[in-house]
Amino acid sequence: MRIVRLLPVLLSAVLVLSCGRRQQYPQQPTVVFGGEMHNSNASTPQSIESSLDIAVSLGFDAVLAPVYWELMEPEQGRFDFTLVDHLLSAAGERGLKLGLLWFGTWKNGESSYPPLWVKGNTQKYFRALDADGNPTTTISPFCTAALEADAAAFSALMSHLAKADRDRVVINVQVENEVGAFLERDFSPAALEAWEQGGWPADTSFLAPQRFMAEAFAKYVDAVAAAGKAEYDIPMFTNAWLMGEKARYGSYPNGGPREAVLDVWKRCAPHLDRLSPDIYAKDFAHFCAVYGGDQPLFIPETKREPGRLWYALGEAAASGVFSFGYEESYDDPLYVYECRTIAEMIPLLRQRLPSRGFWRNPAMDAKDAELSLPLGGVDFKVHYIGGEPNAYGVIVQTGEDEFTVAGVGAWIDFGENVKMAYCEEIRGGGVWQVLNGDETAHHNMLYLRGRLYLEPAVMPGDEGVEVPAPMYGLSYQRRFLKSSHLRFKTSGIYRIKLYSQE
Ligand code: DGJ
């Protein structure tokens, strides 16, 4: 009897012993939505707090925050984890998850974040040289002393996290930031030797220097990631500064995980769980496709443009999408309200139900474009409304013939003889109106009329009388509103059921 009672205790002891020192990583959220902090905002406890407060007000569930090598290891071997610990506690208190960005040897193709004992000692920690032998501001990816120092610091960070992050606030870690060098290739002596030994072609074809640099950076980043994973095995990634394929050397950090060399990175950096795009480029959909596919799409940086966020979550099945510098959204109510509506949709998106997403990209699509989005046996036709400044959204299949649609700036029909059995507008989690009649063209279409955030109007000459603001979009009158931001409608949420009327 006693042994039976003791069994669970014994079993858990065996489990703990068999896991050894290796830290187990708990279940991750399937989808996270948030922003990336401005570069300097994780440098003091008070700016960490301010930054995270803004994240909470936007409805985020995660924030990407930098950890600076120079502040973490001011003297070799002396580590200061004060800021990391503050990030953990401040995010935990606010119910936020964190992704940590390791600003180590490289940030945006330069080496400004290594501590002074590294970047001040250019003999030991040598830099990449241009074709004329001039030094750059980038530590060479062939510098093994720098790699050893970076890997030691990163593994100290990960070993600290394994112990300090008891509540498992950190969901992933980015290793370095937009690596590469603003060069055709590195001409340091070590790089020249590697070029010769690798049998790289003497007649430098356009791709050879790119592949050569990609291999060097990928191997370095992989070794840093491996050192960290040996201490704490959580998902790791690195991010790419994207450029058009015709970009000229010197205008982007050559060697990063750009489209043209993704295969090199996948081969040379097996310890990275994913390669991520920082998508500021116009053709957002293209880069979602390139960096998704055989790996989960995770976008650590993009613009504060709501259409990108809806598209990434609904169409590109992103496991995370983050706007860079979200702290600047104070004067951008469109972004603020859209973020809050996305936050309302996140629990549903997290269920990973079949979905489609759409965005009329102002840089690429016609104002009155149409598109066909088949989903769950229905041919959804999205018709963008020419007069609306913003048009985007998602369609999620929640059951047989049942869908939740969020968005604005378009109307949607469903193919021949398919109508809505009902259409409910959802606000604050509950049914705000049952839409019918004119609002749905007699159940034939879903009009994404969106939400308006307007103050009541005061009638001129009769200052005592307030007229309540309209409840939803009056497309044409909005043009006459004084403050430009009030002219925008933001996404609404609608629950619909379809049926076929043969
Ligand atoms: C990309 C970088 O990765 C970020 O840290 C930041 O510098 C942004 N660019 C600024 O647009």
Side-chain angles (χ1 to χ4, degrees), residues 36-39 66 101 103 107-108 113 174 177-178 239-241 278 280 301 324-325:
E36 177 165 317
M37 272 188 191
H38 257 295
N39 295 163
L101 314 171
F103 285 7
K107 153 88 170 66
N108 299 30
Y113 282 91
Q174 179 186 289
N177 188 85
E178 293 190 349
N239 58 336
W241 168 322
D278 290 348
Y280 295 90
E301 294 183 40
F324 181 77

Side-chain angles (χ1 to χ4, degrees), residues 214-295:
E215 211 174 285
F217 277 99
K219 285 180 176 167
Y220 188 120
V221 174
D222 190 64
V224 175
K229 281 202 167 184
E231 296 300 325
Y232 187 28
D233 190 359
I234 68 173
M236 292 189 188
F237 65 99
T238 202
N239 58 336
W241 168 322
L242 306 174
M243 288 294 282
E245 292 315 308
K246 294 204 182 109
R248 295 185 26 222
Y249 288 127
S251 67
Y252 66 92
N254 185 20
R258 296 169 56 245
E259 185 177 354
V261 291
L262 266 184
D263 62 318
V264 177
W265 270 84
K266 285 180 185 169
R267 177 168 48 81
C268 297
H271 292 91
L272 294 179
D273 299 272
R274 59 189 67 141
L275 302 166
S276 287
D278 290 348
I279 319 183
Y280 295 90
K282 279 185 200 161
D283 199 349
F284 186 77
H286 168 78
F287 288 108
C288 284
V290 169
Y291 285 82
D294 62 347
Q295 53 157 16

Side-chain angles (χ1 to χ4, degrees), residues 60-124:
F60 288 171
D61 44 37
V63 164
L64 304 183
V67 175
Y68 320 100
W69 186 8
E70 60 179 345
L71 299 187
M72 196 192 85
E73 195 184 11
E75 287 163 33
Q76 189 162 18
R78 182 172 71 76
F79 296 104
D80 180 350
F81 295 113
T82 315
L83 291 171
V84 176
D85 291 343
H86 201 83
L87 273 171
L88 295 180
S89 60
E93 279 160 18
R94 289 165 176 78
L96 290 166
K97 294 286 182 193
L98 281 177
L100 296 183
L101 314 171
W102 172 238
F103 285 7
T105 306
W106 300 292
K107 153 88 170 66
N108 299 30
E110 294 188 76
S111 300
S112 59
Y113 282 91
L116 213 49
W117 56 266
V118 173
K119 63 188 174 203
N121 186 348
T122 51
Q123 286 298 311
K124 185 168 180 187

Side-chain angles (χ1 to χ4, degrees), residues 184-470:
E184 178 186 344
R185 65 182 162 98
D186 181 1
F187 288 89
S188 65
L192 289 174
E193 200 185 319
W195 179 266
E196 230 158 77
Q197 278 178 2
W200 293 87
D203 66 319
T204 49
S205 67
F206 184 64
L207 256 183
Q210 294 193 43
R211 297 182 75 78
F212 172 73
M213 293 294 274
E215 211 174 285
F217 277 99
K219 285 180 176 167
Y220 188 120
V221 174
D222 190 64
V224 175
K229 281 202 167 184
E231 296 300 325
Y232 187 28
D233 190 359
I234 68 173
M236 292 189 188
F237 65 99
T238 202
N239 58 336
W241 168 322
L242 306 174
M243 288 294 282
E245 292 315 308
K246 294 204 182 109
R248 295 185 26 222
Y249 288 127
S251 67
Y252 66 92
N254 185 20
R258 296 169 56 245
E259 185 177 354
V261 291
L262 266 184
D263 62 318
V264 177
W265 270 84
K266 285 180 185 169
R267 177 168 48 81
C268 297
H271 292 91
L272 294 179
D273 299 272
R274 59 189 67 141
L275 302 166
S276 287
D278 290 348
I279 319 183
Y280 295 90
K282 279 185 200 161
D283 199 349
F284 186 77
H286 168 78
F287 288 108
C288 284
V290 169
Y291 285 82
D294 62 347
Q295 53 157 16
L297 177 65
F298 186 84
I299 306 171
E301 294 183 40
T302 191
K303 292 183 177 180
R304 296 191 306 275
E305 220 169 15
R308 291 172 181 251
L309 312 179
W310 284 116
Y311 183 91
L313 295 166
E315 183 70 2
S319 60
V321 59
F322 295 79
S323 309
F324 181 77
Y326 65 88
E327 297 97 325
E328 276 172 31
S329 48
Y330 177 75
D331 60 352
D332 188 354
L334 173 74
Y335 176 74
V336 172
Y337 289 122
E338 287 291 355
C339 282
R340 290 184 184 162
T341 309
I342 291 173
E344 272 180 57
M345 284 289 289
I346 284 290
L348 184 61
L349 292 166
R350 218 168 248 158
Q351 292 176 36
R352 285 289 195 215
L353 299 166
S355 73
R356 301 299 310 253
F358 51 93
W359 171 37
R360 183 182 59 204
N361 182 339
M364 307 184 62
D365 300 325
K367 286 219 154 220
D368 54 358
E370 287 181 11
L371 69 160
S372 196
L373 298 177
L375 177 67
V378 179
D379 183 20
F380 287 91
K381 278 244 155 47
V382 176
H383 309 257
Y384 293 127
I385 301 169
E388 289 292 345
N390 304 302
Y392 34 67
V394 299
I395 308 170
V396 182
Q397 185 176 14
T398 52
E400 181 152 5
D401 299 326
E402 285 178 344
F403 302 86
T404 295
V405 184
V408 72
W411 57 274
I412 301 178
D413 57 18
F414 323 101
E416 224 174 310
N417 298 328
V418 181
K419 295 175 184 292
M420 291 187 291
Y422 63 76
C423 175
E424 298 166 340
E425 177 162 358
I426 308 298
R427 293 193 184 186
V431 178
W432 182 71
Q433 273 195 343
V434 177
L435 299 177
N436 49 41
D438 292 352
E439 279 71 52
T440 61
H442 304 279
H443 285 110
N444 282 306
M445 60 101 171
L446 169 63
Y447 168 40
L448 301 177
R449 58 189 190 166
R451 300 175 184 176
L452 271 178
Y453 294 89
L454 295 178
E455 296 297 319
V458 176
M459 291 292 103
D462 196 355
E463 267 64 36
V465 179
E466 271 198 348
V467 180

Side-chain angles (χ1 to χ4, degrees), residues 10-23:
L10 287 172
L11 261 179
S12 53
V14 169
L15 273 177
V16 167
L17 286 175
S18 63
C19 291
R21 240 172 42 84
R22 201 177 161 83
Q23 298 293 324

